Amino acid sequence: MMQKGENLIERFECSTSKRSYVVVFSVVFLAFFIVMCFSFLMAGKGFLWLTDGLEQQYVFFAAQGEWLRQILNTIFVEHNFALPMWSTEIGYGGDMLVTLFSCIGDPVNLISVFFPLEYADLALNMTVAIHLYLAGLIFSFYCLYKGNGRFGTLIGAVVFMFSGFTLLAFTQVFMLACLVYGPLVLWGIDKVFDRKNPVLFIASIALCFLNSVTFSYSICLLLLVYCLVRYWHLDEKKTPRGFAKWVFKIAGYTMIGALIGMVFFVPNAMAILGQGRLGVDRPEALFYEPLYYIKLLAGFLAGTDVGADCSYGFAAIALIAVFALFGTKKSRDVSGSVDGIMKIMFIVLTVFLCLPAIGKVFNGFAYPNNRWVWAYALCVSYIVVAVMPRLLALNVRQKRFVVIGSIAYALVTGLVFLPFASKEVLFSCIVLIGLAFLLCNAKDIAKQKAKLAILGSTFVCIAFVFNNFGSIFTSGGPHAASRQVGIGRSYELLVNNNPSNVVSEIVDDSFWRYDGSRVPMFRNSNMVQHQNALLFYSSYYNDLVDRYHSYMGLISSSMNFSYTGLDARTPLEALAGVKYFVVPKGQTDMLPPLFTHKAACGVYDGMEYIAYGTDDYLPTTFFYDEVIDEADFEAMTPAQRQQALLQGVVIEEPSSLAKNADLRFTDQAVSYEIAPKLDKEQSFDDVNDAFEEQGIEIDGTKFTVVRSGATIVLKADIPADVEAYLYIKGVKYSDVPPSSRFTEAQRESMSLYSKELALFDDVFYGSPTKDVKLDVKLDDVSQQVWNPTASSHLYGGKDSWLVNLGYSDEERKDVEVTFSSAGVYDLEDLQIVVQPIDAYADQIQKLKSTSAKIHGASFNGSTYSCTADAEGSPKLLYFGIPYSSGWSAYVDDNPVEIKHSNVAFMGVELDGGRHEVELRYETPGLKTGAMLSLVGLVMLGAVVVVGRVRRTKIAEETK
């Protein structure tokens, strides 16, 4: 068997046929891919994570397919070029192109057009294999173009395709595209430096700019570094004039590629630049935590999430290749130039991984993020390819570097950092030592046997890493099987077996939205249910909607780019046009009190769910005739703001509405005393002793918590017939090190060794708490506040929350607050607020009655139109549609200004009388981007023509 393997390798190495390489590569890829997925397949799981995979990637992929089919039908069947660009099924409403940016720019994802919603899950899982296959194939062709051996190229391609970065396939499917474009750009720029046709480089840059703003930005940064290193090693005299010529040439080709991609890039960039979270102040650090560097070192031989979104790791052959590279003496020939480039790039990229400032630069100066680590994998994999021939014939110096380096690495990671080393690291260290000694004695064995050993060790390393990762999915843990979607089950989870889809049973031709409580509310599920719901999760979010939620202290929108309903708050539900509310049967503790009649019911997973309806909701369009001063609105509490918007409109611009709203607030603050939560058998003479036992120290509204899970009780009498809220204002959190997480009684009983161990934990405490949670409970109502801190990548500047504790027609007592993490919680204010619901219905009905003067409302995907009769004095025709610069308004066919209303929405001021009103939408920047893309294509055509003329001229001169 071994002899056959040796013969196959020898024939493969000697062949010059590209077809034979592709065949062998395809077989090897299939074997490694099956091994990579084995544990998941055995568990019936696919690549889609239950969070981002299901709620973002599947939904966007499936919705893209539907949208593309709709566009094709509009153009080729209806012969209409008015493309549907806006959807009411994206949260409050959103741009289809902007929402789908993370998916639509990748040509591989265009296969979605062939798959209906029910089967889009299978197609999306297929794209993982397609991306990895293309990545390996393009990497291989690049390596062969550079004159590398076929066996080394094959091993390098395997290392590249199945590095630790590929673990992202199980959480972030769309991020695999960079593995395809990275080597394509590298191949293209090397052809430019080789003075060959630049079309490949231009096309690869165009693909990057079509795909993503953030990816194309990081590509340009990496390209700058590589071009400087590559130019320095060119075999030509270095002069300012020569350098300027290269800069002009490369910048010009890059610009042409970028221009071609502008059709998606410009709208994409405009959406990103309009997001407030980019300007949020975050703490700066010169270095990462110590644990980051330990994982960075130990994780080189194992698929590891190091931190800062850096997922990497390689087979043992990669580290041996690096040692051999640095063990090779500097040479003046071409090989020395290649070695120099590889050494510099490896060192530079390694330094980049070690510095938070560089990670921040790569992430657009937002926060440190190393998702560009795919480029590090590309660098290491190419080192494997280039060094492979010398690994089979190591000289004394190289052997010394390989042996000493391998032993030193194994000792440091396996012994010194043993408490932090995973099973994958320890296993890979064993393979590393064995392979290093085998290669150092390669002269004593046939080269083909050594090649078999390299291939076998690579297979074993990748199989162990991915299957140990996968086995966690079948045995519990942080990546348990329950967190992956079963293959082909996405549509079932989001539609067929989704309790919130009970609203599909409702027959109601009017425009309405639904919300729910105690129901699985999958974000973005409304896009595949084809229902209107306040569910949203996308990096491309409307900053004004997020600002509206922040003004309201909405706990279901702790992240800027995500929201799951309106926390059952009666005024907000009415303002958003929520007509139906879903709850499990018998669990009405969080049912808003104005939802009184049953509209539909259904059984899902053995539990009955009921959709309750109400007549006290506001339609999409109605009139306001009273205005609220913006400064006054800013000064209100969230509880007052939600009442105010039922009485008047907030307009940022000057308004012709002369009447200021005479606001009436019915909210009341309930007094309370802070007490410890005690078990029945516990009693303390001094309340401070009770707090000490709980692990809490209290100073006003500043709580120092040394024990996670500590609870305080706000002793209060809450009246009947009110919605109760806990208002938490200005949360400032600071972590405490592990050695401080003991009560005085615990500290006194600790041994000296335990105290020293706690101090050791302080030094290597690598994951300080960044997202704190407060659990709030009143009787049977339990709510959780998730408050990302400034150290968290999810932080968006939010620190104040209005927590709905439900409505009751009976008196209630005592609110419990549990601190999930140890630390110091310094609150600006902490109030129990109640709001009687008596006035709500009248205020809602008063506004709703104005909609009777609005007729013929219709929406066709890009245009909203209606006939509005504004009687008497000027009024504001309000639209519950998020404000965007893409909207334009026309009254009686005359363009008018859209008023920025109620923080996030739109309005048009009308004089008295009957008016035809129309809102038209087009994606901001799309026309500009399309024009720039056309310019880029013309320039590309010019480059092709000029190149062809030049080659023809050279050929004629040669003759």
Side-chain angles (χ1 to χ4, degrees):
M1 180 67 72
M2 181 171 288
Q3 186 62 45
K4 286 184 179 180
E6 293 175 20
N7 293 337
L8 285 173
I9 290 177
E10 185 174 4
R11 289 205 303 270
F12 168 70
E13 188 73 32
C14 294
S15 174
T16 59
S17 167
K18 285 188 177 180
R19 180 180 297 178
S20 69
Y21 180 87
V22 172
V23 171
V24 172
F25 169 83
S26 301
V27 172
V28 170
F29 169 79
L30 184 61
F32 275 85
F33 185 76
I34 291 173
V35 164
M36 166 189 165
C37 307
F38 183 75
S39 293
F40 302 93
L41 293 175
M42 293 300 291
K45 302 296 181 179
F47 291 104
L48 304 187
W49 182 27
L50 265 172
T51 305
D52 291 10
L54 179 66
E55 297 179 299
Q56 278 191 343
Q57 293 142 30
Y58 163 74
V59 170
F60 294 164
F61 184 84
Q64 173 182 287
E66 278 206 318
W67 188 52
L68 292 176
R69 289 190 292 272
Q70 186 180 0
I71 289 174
L72 292 173
N73 182 75
T74 300
I75 295 174
F76 295 106
V77 178
E78 300 176 3
H79 305 294
N80 183 0
F81 288 90
L83 304 181
M85 302 304 294
W86 185 271
S87 172
T88 61
E89 296 168 2
I90 304 172
Y92 291 88
D95 186 301
M96 283 296 294
L97 182 62
V98 171
T99 304
L100 300 178
F101 271 147
S102 59
C103 175
I104 202 166
D106 183 356
V108 172
N109 292 332
L110 293 178
I111 67 170
S112 62
V113 74
F114 302 109
F115 294 87
L117 294 176
E118 295 88 336
Y119 303 108
D121 174 302
L122 299 174
L124 183 55
N125 276 285
M126 284 168 46
T127 64
V128 173
I130 295 172
H131 278 112
L132 292 179
Y133 182 82
L134 290 175
L137 203 58
I138 292 170
F139 177 86
S140 295
F141 288 153
Y142 167 68
C143 293
L144 295 174
Y145 164 79
K146 297 294 288 183
N148 293 287
R150 291 158 67 92
F151 178 76
T153 295
L154 182 64
I155 296 298
V158 168
V159 171
F160 180 59
M161 290 185 292
F162 300 102
S163 74
F165 182 84
T166 303
L167 289 173
L168 287 174
F170 297 99
T171 56
Q172 303 293 335
V173 174
F174 294 156
M175 286 184 62
L176 295 181
C178 58
L179 294 178
V180 178
Y181 301 145
L184 202 60
V185 171
L186 186 58
W187 189 2
I189 192 60
D190 270 359
K191 292 190 74 172
V192 172
F193 275 111
D194 293 339
R195 294 177 172 84
K196 294 184 178 179
N197 196 325
V199 171
L200 177 62
F201 176 66
I202 294 172
S204 64
I205 291 294
L207 285 172
C208 293
F209 274 76
L210 285 167
N211 181 259
S212 165
V213 167
T214 52
F215 177 59
S216 55
Y217 167 72
S218 63
I219 274 283
C220 289
L221 292 177
L222 291 163
L223 193 60
L224 175 63
V225 175
Y226 179 75
C227 287
L228 290 173
V229 176
R230 185 76 161 78
Y231 170 77
W232 182 256
H233 287 83
L234 283 179
D235 186 20
E236 65 178 39
K237 186 177 180 180
K238 309 299 187 297
T239 64
R241 181 183 177 87
F243 179 75
K245 286 178 66 176
W246 278 110
V247 169
F248 180 79
K249 179 188 289 188
I250 295 172
Y253 293 151
T254 303
M255 182 189 70
I256 294 173
L259 283 172
I260 294 172
M262 285 293 128
V263 63
F264 287 167
F265 184 91
V266 172
N268 194 333
M270 290 180 66
I272 291 176
L273 293 175
Q275 297 174 355
R277 69 190 294 250
L278 296 181
V280 170
D281 291 331
R282 302 175 189 272
E284 303 284 346
L286 187 60
F287 298 104
Y288 293 107
E289 300 94 352
L291 189 58
Y292 174 91
Y293 297 102
I294 294 172
K295 287 184 176 181
L296 193 66
L297 177 64
F300 193 94
L301 288 188
T304 303
D305 182 7
V306 174
D309 285 332
C310 175
S311 180
Y312 90 141
F314 309 95
I317 188 63
L319 189 55
I320 292 175
V322 171
F323 290 147
L325 172 65
F326 284 91
T328 303
K329 286 186 177 181
K330 185 177 180 180
S331 172
R332 294 183 179 273
D333 59 11
V334 175
S335 64
S337 175
V338 173
D339 282 2
I341 294 173
M342 291 190 296
K343 288 177 181 178
I344 293 174
M345 289 303 299
F346 180 81
I347 292 171
V348 169
L349 295 182
T350 301
V351 171
F352 281 4
L353 283 177
C354 294
L355 298 176
I358 300 297
K360 186 173 181 178
V361 170
F362 271 96
N363 196 35
F365 298 91
Y367 55 86
N369 182 293
N370 289 324
R371 285 183 176 174
W372 61 269
V373 74
W374 60 265
Y376 192 81
L378 180 58
C379 176
V380 170
S381 301
Y382 189 77
I383 290 174
V384 171
V385 176
V387 175
M388 185 61 68
R390 67 191 85 164
L391 288 179
L392 302 172
L394 295 171
N395 60 36
V396 175
R397 174 184 168 88
Q398 291 166 341
K399 287 180 180 179
R400 190 181 302 123
F401 267 74
V402 168
V403 172
I404 294 176
S406 299
I407 293 175
Y409 179 88
L411 286 175
V412 171
T413 57
L415 295 179
V416 179
F417 295 149
L418 182 60
F420 310 99
S422 64
K423 290 180 289 184
E424 297 97 326
V425 172
L426 297 176
F427 177 82
S428 296
C429 283
I430 295 172
V431 176
L432 173 70
I433 296 297
L435 186 59
F437 277 96
L438 185 147
L439 292 175
C440 287
N441 293 281
K443 291 182 180 179
D444 299 330
I445 59 175
K447 282 190 176 183
Q448 306 309 327
K449 286 187 171 65
K451 291 179 180 179
L452 274 178
I454 291 171
L455 180 61
S457 68
T458 304
F459 185 86
V460 168
C461 283
I462 291 173
F464 187 86
V465 167
F466 278 95
N467 280 285
N468 191 50
F469 178 80
S471 66
I472 298 174
F473 278 74
T474 56
S475 61
H479 298 289
S482 59
R483 300 190 182 186
Q484 291 292 110
V485 180
I487 298 175
R489 292 203 62 229
S490 296
Y491 185 79
E492 179 184 349
L493 286 172
L494 295 185
V495 182
N496 292 339
N497 204 33
N498 186 350
S500 66
N501 202 40
V502 67
V503 296
S504 64
E505 303 296 324
I506 298 171
V507 179
D508 187 340
D509 293 333
S510 65
F511 179 87
W512 49 269
R513 295 186 173 109
Y514 78 86
D515 200 353
S517 180
R518 307 291 185 262
V519 178
M521 301 290 281
F522 291 104
R523 294 167 295 184
N524 294 326
S525 60
N526 36 314
M527 293 179 67
V528 289
Q529 289 177 339
H530 297 305
Q531 302 288 352
N532 300 305
L534 301 171
L535 303 170
F536 180 83
Y537 183 33
S538 172
S539 298
Y540 300 98
Y541 66 95
N542 187 316
D543 190 62
L544 295 174
V545 170
D546 179 59
R547 192 185 305 176
Y548 173 73
H549 289 162
S550 297
Y551 271 123
M552 298 302 170
L554 191 66
I555 65 170
S556 56
S557 182
S558 55
M559 295 186 294
N560 309 78
F561 47 87
S562 167
Y563 49 89
T564 52
L566 296 173
D567 193 29
R569 289 162 57 174
T570 299
L572 297 187
E573 302 286 2
L575 286 164
V578 174
K579 190 175 182 180
Y580 301 101
F581 200 92
V582 182
V583 295
K585 182 179 180 181
Q587 299 182 32
T588 58
D589 51 326
M590 285 296 289
L591 178 69
L594 298 182
F595 289 82
T596 54
H597 64 271
K598 295 181 180 179
C601 61
V603 177
Y604 300 84
D605 278 341
M607 180 176 287
E608 186 174 356
Y609 293 85
I610 299 174
Y612 287 87
T614 181
D615 292 326
D616 295 315
Y617 75 99
L618 293 171
T620 304
T621 310
F622 57 90
F623 283 114
Y624 276 115
D625 59 5
E626 298 183 11
V627 66
I628 301 170
D629 183 76
E630 187 180 0
D632 292 342
F633 186 76
E634 290 266 2
M636 297 176 191
T637 66
Q640 292 171 332
R641 289 172 185 150
Q642 65 181 13
Q643 296 176 78
L645 295 185
L646 290 176
Q647 304 172 61
V649 63
V650 179
I651 305 177
E652 287 191 357
E653 301 86 357
S655 171
S656 61
L657 272 67
K659 187 176 180 182
N660 291 325
D662 182 17
L663 301 177
R664 293 186 301 113
F665 298 117
T666 59
D667 60 298
Q668 303 170 6
V670 176
S671 61
Y672 63 85
E673 292 183 358
I674 301 178
K677 183 180 181 181
L678 303 176
D679 295 332
K680 291 182 179 180
E681 62 274 10
Q682 288 181 309
S683 62
F684 294 88
D685 295 330
D686 188 341
V687 70
N688 291 323
D689 292 337
F691 282 123
E692 165 67 20
E693 175 65 22
Q694 286 282 311
I696 303 177
E697 180 182 324
I698 301 176
D699 181 10
T701 55
K702 181 178 180 180
F703 304 90
T704 302
V705 180
V706 299
R707 182 186 296 171
S708 59
T711 301
I712 60 172
V713 179
L714 308 182
K715 307 288 287 185
D717 294 320
I718 299 173
D721 298 318
V722 296
E723 275 189 338
Y725 297 94
L726 182 65
Y727 179 36
I728 306 172
K729 182 181 180 182
V731 178
K732 292 183 176 63
Y733 171 84
S734 56
D735 199 7
V736 295
S739 63
S740 300
R741 298 181 179 185
F742 303 98
T743 64
E744 286 300 322
Q746 289 175 321
R747 196 178 302 280
E748 290 175 2
S749 63
M750 289 173 63
S751 65
L752 179 61
Y753 173 77
S754 297
K755 292 178 180 178
E756 293 293 333
L757 190 62
L759 291 174
F760 176 81
D761 288 342
D762 287 353
V763 176
F764 293 100
Y765 182 45
S767 300
T769 303
K770 297 178 180 179
D771 303 312
V772 295
K773 297 175 182 177
L774 300 173
D775 295 306
V776 183
K777 187 174 185 297
L778 173 61
D779 292 347
D780 294 330
V781 175
S782 296
Q783 294 271 60
Q784 186 175 79
V785 177
W786 182 17
N787 190 108
T789 70
S791 299
S792 171
H793 70 286
L794 298 175
Y795 178 65
K798 303 188 181 193
D799 61 6
S800 297
W801 313 97
L802 188 65
V803 187
N804 186 12
L805 297 175
Y807 167 84
S808 177
D809 56 6
E810 298 179 355
E811 293 183 358
R812 292 174 284 176
K813 287 182 177 292
D814 304 343
V815 176
E816 295 182 6
V817 180
T818 301
F819 303 91
S820 64
S821 304
V824 179
Y825 298 76
D826 192 358
L827 312 182
E828 186 177 334
D829 198 3
L830 184 65
Q831 295 183 17
I832 297 176
V833 179
V834 297
Q835 286 189 334
I837 66 164
D838 299 343
Y840 287 165
D842 291 340
Q843 292 168 343
I844 294 168
Q845 288 297 332
K846 180 180 177 181
L847 288 176
K848 186 178 181 180
S849 65
T850 65
S851 66
K853 302 296 182 179
I854 302 168
H855 310 283
S858 66
F859 177 72
N860 69 358
S862 292
T863 303
Y864 181 93
S865 59
C866 66
T867 301
D869 190 357
E871 296 178 343
S873 59
K875 292 179 174 58
L876 183 116
L877 182 62
Y878 176 81
F879 300 91
I881 301 172
Y883 182 93
S884 166
S885 60
W887 285 104
S888 56
Y890 297 84
V891 175
D892 301 326
D893 290 328
N894 297 311
V896 296
E897 179 186 7
I898 294 178
K899 295 294 184 179
H900 191 171
S901 307
N902 287 355
V903 183
F905 305 98
M906 298 189 293
V908 173
E909 291 187 352
L910 298 178
D911 294 328
R914 192 178 184 88
H915 303 280
E916 299 295 327
V917 182
E918 186 174 79
L919 297 181
R920 302 171 189 170
Y921 183 80
E922 64 178 40
T923 301
L926 182 60
K927 282 186 177 179
T928 301
M931 291 297 295
L932 291 173
S933 291
L934 183 60
V935 171
L937 288 171
V938 171
M939 294 175 72
L940 175 61
V943 168
V944 171
V945 171
V946 170
R948 183 170 296 174
V949 171
R950 184 175 298 169
R951 287 192 298 273
T952 302
K953 184 177 180 181
I954 292 173
E956 290 176 351
E957 290 176 353
T958 303
K959 291 180 180 179

